[in-house]
Amino acid sequence: MTITDVNTAFAAEKTAQLDAARSREAAFQARIDRGEIRLVGGNQYEVLTGWDRGERFTVGRNDRGQISEIIAAHGLDSRADGTIALYASSPAWHGLGQIIPGGTDDIDKVLNLGGLDFAVTTVPAVYQWGGELREHPDQFHTVRTDTGAPLGIVGRRYQPIQNRAGFVFLQELVGRYDVIWESAGVIKGGRRVFIAIRLPDTVRVDADGINDLIVPYVAVINDHTGGGTFQCVVTPWRPVCANTERFAVRDAVSRWAVRHTAGATSQIKEARRTLDLSVEYFETYAAEETALARTDIAVSDFHQVIADLWPLDDDATDTKRTNFAARLGAIDAEFRTEAERVGRTAYAAERAITGYLDHVAPRRPGKTMTEEIARATAALEGADDDLKTRAHKRLMLLTRS
């Protein structure tokens, strides 16, 4: 017969809980000290390194101020029945949404389960003046036809690209390559929606060395606010939440976009032609990235690449020299982080430059923008695509030297 002293057991249990809490606090603080995460306000933190770089999460604390839970925000909407507006072919990191193991090739089922089966229309913008409602002749609101929820303010030329009409062109790729719909979901009340398929072939960067695996997806993001575009991106990310949707755009290796205007739906046929090249594109991309991964780079050569991308004139002002030094220091820090994982190579150099542009480079926010929104907008619109391409071509020259 075993006799349990409940007091001793209780004390032991609480001691273990306190030890675990202290351990969690210490580990969390260590990540801050190493520069892996940073506080952005309140109890919200941002990840600064790794594949989830840029993701934000909230830390819950108990009455003693100790960490009680870590909550990663998925940012997804709810459907009419209260379930999360997400379809996925396999469970997402947050464990939410409607999952069909192995996926489906039925677009109607995907749109329904993902909550994308709604239409968008425009209605006149009105305002009150002198006790009466007046109509603005050149402004309209985009609204959901199922709920009447407002999505954005647009001009006279705006014409919604409906979700089904915009996404159905991918059905041809689903049939041709015998692939399935990977994910679909709704963000910000329907202001943004996404859908994705996986391309059939997986490619590897430097299979005999760092062995970075690239699983290519085609993700389509439709923006109904009037401030964004309908765009297709070829990306290594499968969007299953607000963060991964943003990562899919951020890390796109190819993109195509069209604005919501008359004739836009017919222009989407051009995206089909472009995306037909995606599989071959990824094979070429992997070969070039492998060459970079197998090319060692000296710090002096890396600094010369940076100088070529951001030239500094001999008569540059002190301010420009200070800015150049700050940029060089920031990119060097990114390079050290990447070099620890993949070695001091041209591949690490390219990732460092890309990381700097996506996450560190100063952005001038507009009157209604925060710097964070300005940065996200730059990624969305591919503002740095030309610079990233020049960096890639410049580093590729080192593989042939």
Side-chain angles (χ1 to χ4, degrees):
M1 179 177 180
T2 302
I3 299 177
T4 301
D5 181 344
V6 294
N7 298 288
T8 301
F10 175 79
E13 183 180 83
K14 298 311 291 182
T15 298
Q17 290 174 355
L18 290 171
D19 287 344
R22 294 190 190 98
S23 177
R24 173 181 276 189
E25 287 283 353
F28 193 77
Q29 186 59 49
R31 292 194 68 192
I32 295 175
D33 294 340
R34 291 195 299 269
E36 296 175 1
I37 58 177
R38 70 182 178 97
L39 179 68
V40 293
N43 282 323
Q44 192 176 63
Y45 291 80
E46 180 181 15
V47 180
L48 301 177
T49 62
W51 292 115
D52 59 343
R53 179 171 54 184
E55 181 178 356
R56 294 194 171 192
F57 60 91
T58 301
V59 172
R61 297 183 181 274
N62 59 24
D63 294 339
R64 297 183 179 181
Q66 299 167 329
I67 295 175
S68 58
E69 59 181 345
I70 296 176
I71 308 164
H74 55 76
L76 294 162
D77 291 347
S78 296
R79 303 194 307 164
D81 62 3
T83 57
I84 294 299
L86 173 72
Y87 150 80
S89 63
S90 59
W93 62 266
H94 43 62
L96 302 172
Q98 284 58 246
I99 311 301
I100 297 181
T104 179
D105 59 3
D106 186 339
I107 187 172
D108 292 312
K109 184 177 292 186
V110 169
L111 294 177
N112 175 260
L113 294 178
L116 287 75
D117 53 347
F118 64 87
V120 176
T121 190
T122 57
V123 297
V126 297
Y127 61 97
Q128 191 170 40
W129 184 264
E132 65 177 5
L133 289 178
R134 296 187 180 184
E135 183 177 312
H136 193 299
D138 296 314
Q139 281 196 338
F140 298 81
H141 293 283
T142 51
V143 299
R144 292 178 59 151
T145 59
D146 57 343
T147 64
L151 303 176
I153 300 175
V154 300
R156 181 177 295 278
R157 296 182 59 208
Y158 185 94
Q159 192 168 100
I161 299 175
Q162 303 298 339
N163 293 336
R164 197 183 195 289
F167 297 149
V168 73
F169 82 97
L170 282 181
Q171 186 70 45
E172 180 179 322
L173 294 181
V174 171
R176 177 182 304 177
Y177 293 125
D178 192 29
V179 295
I180 48 88
W181 298 98
E182 286 286 343
S183 63
V186 182
I187 302 171
K188 297 180 179 179
R191 291 175 177 83
R192 287 172 67 85
V193 297
F194 62 81
I195 197 166
I197 63 173
R198 174 178 170 173
L199 291 172
D201 296 328
T202 298
V203 294
R204 294 179 184 273
V205 173
D206 192 17
D208 298 326
I210 61 173
N211 197 29
D212 262 2
L213 182 68
I214 300 176
V215 179
Y217 294 88
V218 176
V220 180
I221 298 100
N222 199 6
D223 185 298
H224 295 299
T225 66
T229 60
F230 174 94
Q231 65 173 322
C232 312
V233 296
V234 182
T235 177
W237 287 95
R238 178 186 78 147
V240 291
C241 64
N243 284 328
T244 47
E245 183 260 3
R246 179 164 50 85
F247 296 162
V249 174
R250 181 194 70 192
D251 295 340
V253 296
S254 179
R255 76 178 75 227
W256 181 92
V258 64
R259 295 202 169 274
H260 291 242
T261 57
T265 302
S266 62
Q267 293 179 47
I268 292 175
K269 294 178 181 178
E270 174 64 17
R272 181 186 305 157
R273 186 197 68 79
T274 301
L275 294 173
D276 283 348
L277 305 175
S278 296
V279 175
E280 180 180 347
Y281 177 89
F282 256 96
E283 291 173 350
T284 302
Y285 170 81
E288 292 186 354
E289 295 301 304
T290 295
L292 293 177
R294 294 178 178 177
T295 302
D296 293 334
I297 186 171
V299 172
S300 58
D301 291 335
F302 180 44
H303 286 180
Q304 184 58 56
V305 171
I306 297 172
D308 292 344
L309 294 173
W310 291 279
L312 184 67
D313 296 333
D314 292 338
D315 59 350
T317 64
D318 290 343
T319 299
K320 288 184 178 181
R321 291 183 183 280
T322 298
N323 291 339
F324 183 90
R327 180 190 301 114
L328 182 61
I331 300 177
D332 269 344
E334 293 281 323
F335 180 64
R336 287 193 296 272
T337 299
E338 294 295 338
E340 288 180 3
R341 188 178 72 86
V342 299
R344 194 179 292 271
T345 63
Y347 182 68
E350 181 178 51
R351 291 186 62 85
I353 293 170
T354 300
Y356 167 78
L357 291 170
D358 288 339
H359 305 289
V360 182
R363 299 289 178 188
R364 289 186 178 179
K367 293 181 179 179
T368 60
M369 278 188 181
T370 64
E371 184 172 357
E372 178 186 356
I373 294 175
R375 191 181 305 284
T377 301
L380 186 67
E381 296 179 349
D384 295 317
D385 283 0
D386 180 63
L387 194 55
K388 292 175 183 177
T389 297
R390 287 196 285 125
H392 177 79
K393 291 181 178 179
R394 177 64 177 79
L395 289 166
M396 282 298 296
L397 294 176
L398 299 178
T399 68
R400 295 184 280 272
S401 60

